[in-house]
Amino acid sequence: MCTAATYKTKDFYFGRNLDLEFSYHETVTVTPRNKVFALRHAGQLDHHYALIGMAFVVGDYPLYYDATNEKGLSMAGLNFPGNAHYNKVVEGKDNVASFELVPWLLGQCATVEEAKAMLERINITDDAFSKELQPSPLHWMIADKNQTIVFEQTVNGGKIYDNPVGVMTNNPTFDYHLLHLADYMNASADVPENKLAKGVQFNVYSRGMGGFGIPGDLSSASRFVKVAFTKMNSISGDSESASISQFFKILGSVEQQKGCCRLSYEDDGTPVCEYTIYSSCCNTDKGIYYYTTYENSQISAVDMHNEDLDGSSTISYELVKDQQINYQNKPNAAE
């Protein structure tokens, strides 16, 4: 499963954890303004806003997991199995395949308000990218510095939700997550006060009791509560270093470690585990995409504005996956 979040200091930040049991050959990918997208049912998108994000690129076509455009509008698709429902072509609608949605929206919209207007007319179709790459069941979080929304298409049709907490996980539908969050409205980052029994003396027996009762398991509902609590109570400076450091700490509160979420077992008994393959943080004002990977906790970055944004082919950067360790006491070269 996955978790997405927003964060605002001097600049606005958007990112996510990708939690899966396997990795495609995803890369940090910049799509310039003149890259042509031949859409299945909506004509051709031949000039659009430039994008940067994480994508699996197939034949120069970026299948984006999450992305930000040059105007600062951001979007991430998260797993939504059992609830996502894609349709055949519907007359009178904007028919867009699920894998086309990120470039279709981010290529043409500068704000969430513009995206809302386009989503009102949309029908997500069940077209596959290829025989080998069938549609993934997804819902999407879309954000700019002013507001965040969630878009879901189920058997009941498309639905746009306002997202006041700026986080998202997976199943169930988004309205459930907001309702469930209300169960924790008494949670506080402060030292607990006795509201259970007035006149009875209770001792606070430990530090770290702020947030007492917040769930810590890896289910979608629990991750939603945990990341919402962490994000809404986060404090940092507004420098780039302080901001991105805090953002990765927010995502780190719900990251998945290998072995803790076992989905199945191989024939030899080896567990198949879901884990956090990468975490991302994009400064949407500057167009800088930061990321870490499971075995590399050093932050790497790609700046979209260091590329030719008027080009016509995608530019991809392989992920740095090996751990980068800074030895402060290097061995004597003479030894």
Side-chain angles (χ1 to χ4, degrees), residues 25 45 55 78 87 115 119-121 134 141-142 152 171 181 223 227 233 253 268 272 284-285 300 318 325:
H25 185 199
L45 190 61
L78 277 67
N87 303 315
L119 289 170
E120 292 287 356
R121 309 189 304 267
Q134 294 296 310
M141 187 167 88
I142 306 161
E152 298 176 344
N171 296 326
L181 194 60
R223 280 185 287 108
V227 75
N233 286 283
S253 70
D268 63 0
V272 177
T284 69
D285 294 283
S300 302
E318 299 286 337
I325 299 174

Side-chain angles (χ1 to χ4, degrees), residues 245-263:
S245 295
Q246 188 70 1
F247 191 92
F248 279 109
K249 296 299 183 184
I250 293 168
L251 291 180
S253 70
V254 289
E255 68 183 1
Q256 298 194 23
Q257 297 77 30
K258 288 181 179 178
C260 294
C261 183
R262 304 185 182 191
L263 305 178

Side-chain angles (χ1 to χ4, degrees), residues 20-207:
L20 281 175
E21 68 273 24
F22 58 87
S23 174
Y24 290 100
H25 185 199
E26 58 270 356
T27 57
V28 179
T29 299
V30 176
T31 298
R33 302 180 185 111
N34 295 308
K35 160 66 182 172
V36 175
F37 288 96
L39 305 173
R40 297 293 173 91
H41 309 288
Q44 188 164 285
L45 190 61
D46 54 9
H47 185 75
H48 47 77
Y49 295 131
L51 284 68
I52 186 169
M54 193 71 75
F56 176 36
V57 181
V58 183
D60 200 42
Y61 194 108
L63 301 171
Y64 276 110
Y65 306 174
D66 54 88
T68 294
N69 70 17
E70 60 183 295
K71 297 298 184 180
L73 184 65
S74 302
M75 185 171 180
L78 277 67
N79 206 21
F80 197 43
N83 284 306
H85 182 80
Y86 305 145
N87 303 315
K88 301 298 181 184
V89 171
V90 175
E91 191 71 27
K93 291 278 192 177
D94 289 336
N95 295 285
V96 179
S98 58
F99 63 86
E100 298 172 334
L101 186 58
V102 171
W104 186 75
L105 268 184
L106 295 189
Q108 301 179 85
C109 300
T111 65
V112 167
E113 284 300 319
E114 292 180 10
K116 279 183 179 180
M118 293 188 70
L119 289 170
E120 292 287 356
R121 309 189 304 267
I122 201 169
N123 171 53
I124 306 296
T125 68
D126 60 2
D127 294 273
F129 180 78
S130 66
K131 182 179 179 180
E132 295 75 24
L133 293 171
Q134 294 296 310
S136 297
L138 301 173
H139 60 170
W140 293 267
M141 187 167 88
I142 306 161
D144 60 24
K145 64 175 59 180
N146 297 314
Q147 61 180 311
T148 303
I149 61 172
V150 168
F151 178 73
E152 298 176 344
Q153 183 173 288
T154 67
V155 291
N156 297 318
K159 177 76 174 179
I160 300 170
Y161 296 97
D162 289 327
N163 183 344
V165 291
V167 302
M168 190 173 83
T169 56
N170 311 101
N171 296 326
T173 53
F174 187 73
D175 52 347
Y176 169 85
H177 287 295
L178 287 183
L179 180 64
H180 181 229
L181 194 60
D183 290 342
Y184 300 90
M185 68 172 66
N186 278 326
S188 170
D190 296 324
V191 176
E193 296 180 19
N194 175 20
K195 296 180 179 179
L196 175 68
K198 297 296 184 182
V200 178
Q201 181 65 41
F202 292 112
N203 295 318
V204 178
Y205 53 82
S206 172
R207 290 188 178 186

